[in-house]
Amino acid sequence: MTDWKQRKAPVLRFKGFTDVWEQRKLGEVAQIVRGASPRPINNPKWFDSESNIGWLRISDVTSQKGKIYHLEQHISKLGQQKTRVVTTPHLLLSIAASVGYPVINYVPTGVHDGFIIFENLKLNIDFGFFWLQNFRPIWKKYGQPGSQVNLNRSIVSNTKICFPSNIEQRKEDRRSFESNHKITISSATKIKKIKLLKRAMLQNLFTCKSFPKVRFKGFLNAWEQRKLGDVAIFFNGRAFRQNELLENGKYKVLRVGNFYTNNSWYYSNLELDNKYYINKGDLIYTWSASFGPHIWNGEKVIYHYHIWKIQPSQFIDKNFLMQVLENDKNKLIANVNGSTMVHITKNDMENKKIFLPNKREQYNIGKILAIIDQSISLQQQKVKELQQTKEFLLQNMFI
């Protein structure tokens, strides 16, 4: 964040606004007070499901992106005497556990001591919300390396904020809100609906019966039961010693973690049998920590021991097999109690029994489900782009 002495207005401005932004301490634009909690907090007498005063928890903040419209837990009249209750929308900030999350409550709320409240706020409330959201990474400097960040009322009160006139504040918060709203709508509706559609199709196509619940027009023959190992070959990845994994080298080494981060690649200069390489378009399966099928879309890489490469035979279509494995993954997760850690071996996979239609019906099923997967990926990319746009706006609309 640029120092106030270097920049007195944001990079992005609405047309017609040229005034220098004012700098004040947060404690000068609001009365900052800490919430309060009854003790011991797990005593049931503090809570009452019939109460109209909700009880705010950090899980509510993260699940509702800081805009609180409903609260599952409610605090009793006795509990209300031991906390701070706000009955109108207030700007709040988390200062314990998950630190630095801004909040606006739109329902009557009991605020525990893990939050501070900005009372008598002299700023537009939404402008304050987005300013705090943009400032959140800065709070990290208040924590010692390896320790939990420690925020308190004094630190927050002495933090300097720069802000424009009330008219420009309202324009700024509207632009930020619209970007955030688009992200929420796209994520909560389109992606969810498409995933539900695919889940329903998987459940009705792969029924573990000779005749599934739904069929493409013109296909009437019974599906044949086969073992996975009879129609596909599962290759184990390469087990590396630590000194064989390099910071730079000829081939990237694909590990399970590389599906979730772009900056933790290892390399190898080893020349291995062809079975240890995967190329674009290959079907693979991660079976440790996180599990499930993927069609690889990257460059040629060596794949790690915790990944299988799957070579379909002439009897099964690759995209159809991908969806069979996806449906099996969903069933495995549903059958695990209290954890998503699933243990499955190569032998287990090879002995799984599946039902196969003829190759032409397989192709049609695989194709339509692959199109649905592409739609999901497209919507997720749009969400990612909107998030990047929002981050850009926050970084350049505030100082």
Side-chain angles (χ1 to χ4, degrees):
M1 182 168 291
T2 303
D3 188 86
W4 168 254
K5 294 179 180 179
Q6 298 174 337
R7 181 156 60 92
K8 296 185 178 181
V11 173
L12 295 178
R13 300 289 295 273
F14 281 97
K15 186 177 180 179
F17 293 97
T18 58
D19 294 343
V20 171
W21 282 26
E22 183 178 357
Q23 185 190 44
R24 302 283 292 276
K25 292 180 179 179
L26 282 172
E28 295 174 336
V29 297
Q31 180 184 355
I32 299 176
V33 298
R34 187 171 182 174
S37 301
R39 293 286 189 270
I41 193 61
N42 58 353
N43 193 320
K45 70 180 181 180
W46 307 127
F47 304 99
D48 179 4
S49 60
E50 301 300 318
S51 171
N52 65 344
I53 306 297
W55 180 244
L56 180 65
R57 296 169 295 179
I58 195 64
S59 58
D60 299 305
V61 175
T62 54
S63 66
Q64 298 181 56
K65 310 297 184 185
K67 300 294 186 75
I68 307 301
Y69 290 95
H70 62 87
L71 293 167
E72 293 183 6
Q73 197 168 19
H74 291 76
I75 195 161
S76 66
K77 288 185 178 180
L78 187 61
Q80 292 170 36
Q81 298 173 16
K82 303 289 185 178
T83 187
R84 291 186 184 272
V85 175
V86 290
T87 57
T88 58
H90 277 66
L91 181 63
L92 315 173
L93 182 70
S94 64
I95 60 170
S98 297
V99 169
Y101 282 98
V103 181
I104 299 177
N105 65 296
Y106 294 99
V107 293
T109 304
V111 183
H112 71 65
D113 56 13
F115 295 88
I116 56 174
I117 307 166
F118 295 83
E119 294 186 339
N120 302 317
L121 184 64
K122 296 181 178 67
L123 300 173
N124 176 279
I125 192 170
D126 286 297
F127 178 89
F129 177 89
F130 288 112
W131 188 91
L132 288 172
Q133 192 174 71
N134 186 51
F135 196 80
R136 185 167 183 262
I138 311 301
W139 299 123
K140 293 179 181 179
K141 70 182 182 181
Y142 296 106
Q144 296 300 317
S147 67
Q148 187 176 7
V149 176
N150 181 28
L151 279 183
N152 56 45
R153 188 169 63 88
S154 177
I155 290 174
V156 176
S157 295
N158 286 297
T159 296
K160 294 178 180 179
I161 179 174
C162 300
F163 55 92
S165 66
N166 287 333
I167 296 175
E168 190 174 1
Q169 284 181 44
R170 288 194 293 271
K171 285 184 175 287
E172 293 285 343
D173 80 66
R174 182 178 178 183
R175 179 161 55 179
S176 299
F177 172 79
E178 286 175 350
S179 176
N180 190 55
H181 182 66
K182 288 178 181 178
I183 294 171
T184 303
I185 292 297
S186 181
S187 177
T189 56
K190 292 181 180 179
I191 294 176
K192 184 176 181 180
K193 286 180 179 179
I194 298 172
K195 285 185 175 181
L196 287 174
L197 170 63
K198 183 183 176 184
R199 178 67 63 89
M201 292 185 68
L202 290 175
Q203 291 173 347
N204 286 282
L205 282 166
F206 304 116
T207 57
C208 297
K209 295 180 181 179
S210 297
F211 294 92
K213 292 181 180 180
V214 295
R215 302 291 292 271
F216 282 95
K217 185 177 180 179
F219 295 99
L220 302 173
N221 295 334
W223 289 22
E224 178 186 3
Q225 188 179 53
R226 301 286 296 273
K227 287 183 179 180
L228 264 177
D230 293 337
V231 296
I233 302 173
F234 289 74
F235 294 100
N236 286 320
R238 175 69 151 71
F240 285 86
R241 292 189 293 270
Q242 189 62 40
N243 62 359
E244 293 178 332
L245 294 173
L246 311 173
E247 295 296 327
N248 291 286
K250 185 174 181 181
Y251 298 108
K252 286 183 176 180
V253 177
L254 177 67
R255 299 172 297 148
V256 175
N258 294 121
F259 286 94
Y260 311 102
T261 178
N262 293 321
N263 57 2
S264 59
W265 285 95
Y266 281 107
Y267 293 79
S268 173
N269 289 325
L270 297 176
E271 295 294 339
L272 304 171
D273 291 340
N274 188 57
K275 66 180 181 179
Y276 291 117
Y277 299 96
I278 57 173
N279 295 282
K280 185 174 182 178
D282 283 344
L283 178 59
I284 58 178
Y285 197 102
T286 57
W287 58 267
S288 176
S290 178
F291 72 105
H294 309 265
I295 290 182
W296 180 243
N297 286 317
E299 61 185 314
K300 181 178 180 179
V301 295
I302 300 172
Y303 63 105
H304 193 265
Y305 176 72
H306 292 136
I307 299 172
W308 297 317
K309 180 171 71 171
I310 306 174
Q311 180 179 310
S313 73
Q314 61 178 326
F315 301 107
I316 191 165
D317 177 81
K318 180 178 67 176
N319 288 321
F320 179 85
L321 176 56
M322 166 76 180
Q323 303 303 333
V324 168
L325 295 170
E326 181 71 22
N327 185 60
D328 180 71
K329 182 194 79 169
N330 294 336
K331 291 192 295 183
L332 284 171
I333 292 177
N335 291 331
V336 174
N337 295 319
S339 171
T340 56
M341 179 63 71
V342 176
H343 299 281
I344 188 167
T345 67
K346 182 169 171 283
N347 185 61
D348 291 335
M349 290 296 291
E350 292 172 333
N351 283 293
K352 280 184 179 293
K353 294 181 178 180
I354 64 171
F355 283 84
L356 289 179
N358 63 45
K359 197 74 176 287
R360 183 161 165 255
E361 188 173 4
Q362 288 181 39
Y363 172 80
N364 286 348
I365 292 171
K367 182 178 180 181
I368 191 66
L369 291 173
I371 291 172
I372 292 175
D373 285 339
Q374 289 171 5
S375 297
I376 293 171
S377 296
L378 178 62
Q379 293 302 323
Q380 289 173 333
Q381 180 61 32
K382 287 181 179 178
V383 170
K384 182 178 179 180
E385 290 171 358
L386 283 168
Q387 289 173 332
Q388 291 173 343
T389 299
K390 180 186 174 185
E391 289 175 5
F392 173 80
L393 290 174
L394 287 176
Q395 290 169 5
N396 289 279
M397 292 191 320
F398 299 94
I399 54 176

